[in-house]
Amino acid sequence: MNALLHDLRYGTRMITREPAFTAIALLTLALGIGANTAIFSVVNAVLLRPLPYTQADRLVWLTERAEQIPNRWVSYPNFLDWQSHNRSFESMATIRGWQMTMTGNGEAQSIAARMVTADYFRVMRELPLIGRDFSAEEDRYGSPGVTIISHGFWQSQFGGDPNVVGKTITLNNRSYAVIGVMRPGFQHQGPPQLWVLTEQYAEPGSGWFTRDVRVAGSVIARLLPGATIEQARADMKSIEEELISRYPMQNGGNTIRVVTLQESIVGDMRQSLLMLFAAVGAVLLIACANVANLLLARAATRQKEFAVRAALGASRWRLVRLLLIESIALAVAGGALGLLLAGWGVDLLIKFAPEGVPRLADAAIGWRVFGFSFLLSILTGIVFGLAPAWQGTKTDLHQMLKEGGRSASDARGGRLRSAFVVAEVAVSVVLLVGAGLLIRSLARLLASDPGFNAGNVLTMQLLPRDACPGREKLVQFHTQLLERISELPSVEAACVLNDLPGFEPGWQNDINPEVNGEYLKIKPGELINVDWGIISSNYFAAMGIPIREGRSFTPQEVERGDNVVIVDEQLARRFWPAGDAIGKHIKYDPTGPQEIVGIAGDVRNYGSEGLGRIKIYTPFGHSPLPRSTLAVRCSGTDPLSLVASVKSEVQAINPNVPISDVSTLEAQLASYIVPRRFNTRLLGLFAAVALVLAAVGIYGVMSYAVTQRTRELGIRLALGAQTRDVMTLTLSQSMRLVVAGLGLGLLASLVLTRSLKSMLYGVSATDPLTLALVSVFLTAVAMLACWLPAKRAARVDPMIALRYE
């Protein structure tokens, strides 16, 4: 231990004796370690930290899926069968989002609720902070309304009244008694304001008890003690097969998706975070290579010191240990500085990250992150210090003392430095190619035509379900509203709809088209699933979607809810390739066949390649919207300038209709691609840092090589070599390393960038243009880094060089 302490003190003195070297090394290491620590803090918060629920590893998330719908809600009858027949779960509950209207306290408000079955909080192992849990008897249709409220709702609506239990609120024109208040911070599936029970809305004989109507939401369950997720999947597979056997038309082709709750929350963020973590790890490797090159150069100047120590009896392991301790001390100091940079970086990541990243707000420099940073610093010190230590202490004692201090192993050190340069270039190529692919992908996405015009469209959510109960009142409200808004100055068209174009659809249906005079014979599991748009007559004008053939709905058809339908070009091409779709019929509900009166242009989901599912549009009078989106296209003005006028028209017709989510269609689409933009910018930043570090590394190695060859270059010049010859010689030797690194990097890119395939749009993972541009750009940067030392080599004074020693 005393020897280690002695080596540590000596190593610290050696580091502080060379401030320029130390400053460069510390800055390089701090940048690499700090970036890794910042990204790890996010990875830790999102992927590694246990969920804040009791025995969260036993919580499982279940949904249904079909070939065309990878993730959809469960039908309530299926859920009841799951609940009664499974052998892997101790409890199971449904959960779905539910917008409710709260009245009786000033202006009507839209409340974010969660509709759950009675066992939900028992599944989560959570008890209310105040009051009690739901009971099974309360989860019945017709039972008195009860609700459990969030801590935030309790504070905002009741002022934290400790006697809140028993008080009532009016939701959806119905009185609900508050029976409990949850603890601060408890949430799942977003921050709800309150929870209500499912079967209070599940009227017997309604769609809730229709097996192919999937309205119950998703399912959360708690594994039995000792049960595994694999056993649960096998168990649910047997239930799935039984349901398909008993109900082939409703469940044919349907499977049950079983994942851990952690996986369901993280979703697609796992791939993005791991990609960024790998990228920032690559930056650290380049930083290590640069510092290793610095240490190799430094070790070459200490050959005489090592020879003297060896002559006095020091073993090679003793010398290696001394240098490794110096390296580790340098890395720990760089890590401490990097930890400060990481704290700043985490704040920036939280500030600029896209909304919806789960648990990102929990990212912080805690003990786990601190431990990661410390271990990373130790490992970094070993990684960049081991090769220089081993190489630098490989000394021929007799030869070294005879040469009076010159490095006898400089050739071996030169080969090692060259290998580091090749590795730096290769890693930089991989990062640059990845960043280039994402940049080209984002550019393609922004320039693509989604099939509609998002400019100058104001959007807002309306919830008229409870203020206008029943079909007639809903249709009347929407009809009056559109008439009044259409008369406002600068309004070109106004419509109501269920889902805005360009986003992942929330409504789907199964159809049966009429082909050659008869409807298709649909077999179990072969249902034709479509995106279902419920719209008003001005929808296509407001959204800028062309009608290719036929016509749009008339106001009378919309108001009456006639059995008419508009299909997209994709559906028309598939079933009526001869161009005779107009006048044909499709079935999608029990009310009878719907006549095709128009063919609309294809619309794709924003950010998705291809057209996806086919689309149909029906008049909202046929299926009145209890919750609707209002869209208003205007001209010559900012859409948001119409907000006050539109709100006043809504209030004038019915003041109890809540308004929420006021925005523009352009802004919503922009928010949809924020995650892509964020990932692209971060990876681009890491690639730029890698490029700079690689250029600095190339410059450093070439400068050192020129210094070592000063005498040789002077002799060449003295014997008649031209300046151009010396520059060509130096550049050719340098660029050979760059070309080798470039080749290795391109080969690695062809393999590694395939993992980005799901994140790309309109660009192949092996896009030739991106590979070519990266090659040219990196070669130009490397050429500049090599040209400066080559220019200095060409200016060597032969007389000085000949006296060089």
Side-chain angles (χ1 to χ4, degrees), residues 23 55 93 98 128 145 350-352 368 627 666 741 748:
Q55 293 180 321
W98 185 243
I350 294 175
K351 181 178 180 180
F352 293 107
R368 178 181 289 185
R627 182 186 181 190
E666 282 184 321

Side-chain angles (χ1 to χ4, degrees), residues 372-391:
F372 168 82
S373 181
F374 180 75
L375 291 176
L376 182 64
S377 300
I378 299 293
L379 180 61
T380 299
I382 295 173
V383 167
F384 73 72
L386 187 59
W390 185 257
Q391 181 64 42

